[in-house]
Amino acid sequence: MLKKVYGSAVFGIEATTITVEVNIAKGIGYHLVGLPDNAIRESNYRIASALQNNGYKIPGKKITINMAPADLRKEGSAYDLTLALGILAASNQIQSENLEKYLIMGELSLDGSLQPINGVLPIAIKAREEGFKGFILPEQNAKEAAVVNNLEVYGVKNIRQVINFFDADEPLEQTIIDTRAEFLQNLAFPEFDFSDVKGQESIKRCMEIAAAGGHNIILIGPPGSGKTMLAKRLPSILPPLTLHEALETTKIHSVVGNIKHKSGLIAERPFRNPHHTISDVALVGGGSYPQPGEISLAHNGVLFLDELPEFKRSVLEVMRQPLEDREVTISRARFTITYPSSFMLVASMNPSPSGFFNDPNSPMASSPVEMQRYMGKISGPLLDRIDIHIEVTPVPFEKLSEERKGETSSAIRERVIKAREVQTERFKSSEILHYNAQMNTKQIRKYCKLDAEALHLLKNAMERLNLSARAYDRILKVARTIADLEAQKDILPNHIGEAIQYRSLDREGWLG
């Protein structure tokens, strides 16, 4: 007897429905076809034990299972429940009139209990698109799937509940959440707040500008000057995620199993902080069966690279194209996958191997030659994609010992949101342009016009400070953001003057 049950496979961040066809005929044997990996091939042992421990069995006949489309590779243990229900239905051990109306996924333990699976949100979205009535899955994943409306979601603890649902019409408890209410409730601030930072007012201002315009930023300073502390607080001043961004971010984290089981949607902007020993595949994504890398997990959030020159040069170079295109494409012989990767890059570094170059009070000063060799680890094209370079100096004792709290993240965030609203209005005719950092040369010429005084100031600065040609567009973009923060329609000379200060690495004496 032939029966069909439906599961799903995730490729990239999109799901594809898998039809599991189970045929039972005379003879003996267990044949599983349709490009399953080892985890699926081993499933018959888990299924046999789970069924036996719940009063059922795998029939002693010839069982042929096809996972269609047969030319698409299937992987993981999430098909255990799908296969088990197919075998029970095909062998007439349970009633199965409504089986084809539901998408069924879950990993079985030997006692029949269900373990959580990955990629639930893309699967639920696909199930709704294809008109399934409901989605049956492990209860740990139910809240994540229930984010998708117009789809009945049933979280179950063990296979016995599913069998009774189909065979004895015992109802399952439907998981229902109000996505918008849940999302708004979780719009809490991260644990880190700018009010904890003593002193460093100029750097806070710099971070505010970076957040307002979506600019990439690099912090240069000696150990202990507060670079990491400042970077960790950047997400707290970024505008809250929109519901669309939250769904997009949750899909990526769902694929790698990063979703906490108690929450459905990710409501806070991601902050990723990979170690400098990371490989290029782990950073940008890939592998035999491609998975998202750190730059995709930082989508709609912040990627923080601490001690930038310590990263392997090859790792930093593969990041250049995603920084420009805001997506990364991974190509294999049989398929190509594109992951979104629109993130703010925040990097930090010591100015020299010892960390105290240009510090007259330190006995550990490095020579200019050592410093040039150290800085040479970062390529010009990568620095070209970083709009703001700022030097961070150690905080004096008087500031550290102050009792007075600094400005809170929520106050800074209000100004950032207002500046972003100005940019949203400015770029409303473009689908891909959302904030100042994304402007190309043509748009810079259109939106960053200068009067004679501002142009003269910029010309003098570039000549006197030996600023490179690549600094020109970056200064204009940052100046545009500063003007937006002050609600000024035109870029004024003082905006240009401030933007010029944020190009430390372009000056003579840094990269030569």
Side-chain angles (χ1 to χ4, degrees):
M1 186 175 180
L2 176 67
K3 279 291 175 184
K4 292 182 181 181
V5 194
Y6 294 94
S8 194
V10 178
F11 294 92
I13 57 170
E14 302 300 329
T16 301
T17 299
I18 302 296
T19 306
V20 176
E21 302 171 318
V22 184
N23 188 65
I24 295 181
K26 289 180 180 178
I28 205 158
Y30 184 91
H31 307 285
L32 184 58
V33 297
L35 289 183
D37 71 351
N38 286 337
I40 301 174
R41 289 184 184 281
E42 293 170 353
S43 65
N44 63 315
Y45 298 107
R46 293 190 294 273
I47 292 167
S49 179
L51 292 182
Q52 183 182 0
N53 287 323
N54 284 275
Y56 295 86
K57 63 178 183 178
I58 291 184
K61 295 185 177 181
K62 183 181 179 183
I63 302 173
T64 306
I65 302 175
N66 176 43
M67 304 180 79
D71 61 343
L72 206 64
R73 186 166 182 85
K74 328 297 183 306
E75 58 182 42
S77 54
Y79 299 97
D80 291 1
L81 186 61
T82 324
L83 298 173
L85 266 291
I87 291 168
L88 290 174
S91 59
N92 285 324
Q93 294 183 66
I94 63 169
Q95 298 296 318
S96 55
E97 286 84 4
N98 297 320
L99 200 61
E100 295 183 13
K101 295 179 182 177
Y102 295 88
L103 197 142
I104 303 168
M105 297 286 286
E107 177 188 334
L108 283 170
S109 294
L110 298 187
D111 63 355
S113 59
L114 290 172
Q115 301 297 322
I117 60 175
N118 293 344
V120 165
L121 184 57
I123 293 171
I125 291 169
K126 189 69 176 178
R128 182 184 63 184
E129 281 177 10
E130 301 212 341
F132 284 97
K133 181 182 179 184
F135 183 11
I136 298 172
L137 75 168
E139 68 169 355
Q140 297 97 316
N141 299 115
K143 204 166 184 181
E144 183 186 337
V147 164
V148 180
N149 55 11
N150 300 325
L151 179 73
E152 295 175 12
V153 173
Y154 300 103
V156 292
K157 291 182 179 178
N158 55 59
I159 191 172
R160 167 64 71 179
Q161 289 176 272
V162 187
I163 291 170
N164 291 345
F165 175 66
F166 288 110
D167 200 37
D169 288 329
E170 284 188 15
L172 291 173
E173 186 180 346
Q174 187 177 345
T175 304
I176 301 172
I177 64 170
D178 185 336
T179 306
R180 191 167 293 277
E182 185 88 4
F183 173 66
L184 294 172
Q185 181 186 338
N186 289 329
L187 276 182
F189 288 105
E191 57 184 304
F192 303 112
D193 195 281
F194 268 99
S195 62
D196 304 328
V197 181
K198 304 283 188 180
Q200 304 289 25
E201 299 305 325
S202 61
I203 315 300
K204 288 183 195 174
R205 165 72 174 168
C206 218
M207 301 295 267
E208 181 182 334
I209 293 166
H215 302 287
N216 299 325
I217 182 171
I218 184 166
L219 309 169
I220 313 125
S225 55
K227 303 186 295 293
T228 304
M229 186 179 187
L230 286 157
K232 283 184 176 178
R233 281 153 180 76
L234 183 59
S236 70
I237 63 170
L238 288 171
L241 285 169
T242 64
L243 191 54
H244 173 74
E245 286 175 329
L247 279 165
E248 203 174 32
T249 306
T250 306
K251 276 174 77 172
I252 299 168
H253 286 257
S254 174
V255 169
V256 295
N258 265 4
I259 306 294
K260 295 174 185 172
H261 299 316
K262 290 182 181 178
S263 62
L265 274 179
I266 290 177
E268 292 180 1
R269 291 191 180 272
F271 180 85
R272 306 295 298 184
N273 182 11
H275 193 260
H276 65 258
T277 55
I278 192 171
S279 68
D280 42 0
V281 170
L283 186 70
V284 298
S288 305
Y289 309 112
Q291 288 281 299
E294 288 291 333
I295 63 172
S296 294
L297 294 172
H299 181 61
N300 291 324
V302 174
L303 178 70
F304 177 47
L305 301 184
D306 200 5
E307 300 304 336
L308 190 66
E310 300 298 337
F311 284 79
K312 288 183 287 190
R313 188 167 177 129
S314 62
V315 171
L316 297 178
E317 292 306 296
V318 294
M319 200 168 58
R320 280 162 46 185
Q321 178 261 335
L323 271 172
E324 200 73 31
D325 297 343
R326 301 192 177 270
E327 62 181 24
V328 58
T329 302
I330 298 161
S331 298
R332 294 290 178 266
R334 292 176 65 91
F335 55 85
T336 299
I337 290 173
T338 299
Y339 292 113
S341 60
S342 180
F343 59 91
M344 264 185 72
L345 174 64
V346 181
S348 76
M349 60 178 287
N350 294 330
S352 65
S354 71
F356 295 96
F357 178 74
N358 280 350
D359 186 352
N361 300 318
S362 171
M364 298 175 62
S366 301
S367 70
V369 175
E370 285 178 307
M371 180 268 195
Q372 286 288 339
R373 190 183 302 123
Y374 182 70
M375 297 291 288
K377 293 181 182 181
I378 310 168
S379 70
L382 180 63
L383 280 177
D384 193 24
R385 288 161 172 79
I386 300 177
D387 295 346
I388 298 175
H389 313 154
I390 188 72
E391 292 179 59
V392 184
T393 53
V395 182
F397 177 78
E398 293 75 22
K399 288 281 186 184
L400 283 175
S401 57
E402 270 186 359
E403 290 295 324
R404 184 173 60 88
K405 284 261 186 184
E407 190 176 24
T408 63
S409 290
S410 57
I412 301 171
R413 180 190 257 196
E414 288 300 319
R415 297 196 295 270
V416 169
I417 290 171
K418 285 178 182 174
R420 285 284 183 106
E421 286 169 355
V422 172
Q423 293 163 56
T424 301
E425 179 62 26
R426 177 182 299 135
F427 304 128
K428 63 182 178 183
S429 59
S430 172
E431 289 185 8
I432 58 170
L433 195 60
H434 304 293
Y435 40 84
N436 292 335
Q438 296 174 317
M439 287 192 290
N440 58 28
T441 306
K442 181 180 177 182
Q443 288 146 351
I444 289 170
R445 299 294 172 266
K446 181 177 179 181
Y447 298 115
C448 302
K449 292 176 180 175
L450 303 180
D451 60 21
E453 187 183 350
L455 198 61
H456 181 69
L457 175 63
L458 181 55
K459 178 176 180 289
N460 283 348
M462 294 196 70
E463 290 172 354
R464 290 185 183 181
L465 300 173
N466 289 306
L467 295 178
S468 66
R470 67 170 171 253
Y472 179 76
D473 283 354
R474 300 291 184 246
I475 288 170
L476 287 177
K477 285 201 276 190
V478 174
R480 178 67 270 170
T481 300
I482 295 169
D484 290 342
L485 277 166
E486 295 181 5
Q488 295 283 349
K489 187 178 179 183
D490 299 318
I491 297 175
L492 304 177
N494 62 301
H495 302 147
I496 288 289
E498 186 176 356
I500 290 165
Q501 297 174 40
Y502 304 143
R503 295 300 301 179
S504 298
L505 294 182
D506 285 317
R507 297 177 192 171
E508 190 173 29
W510 281 100
L511 295 181

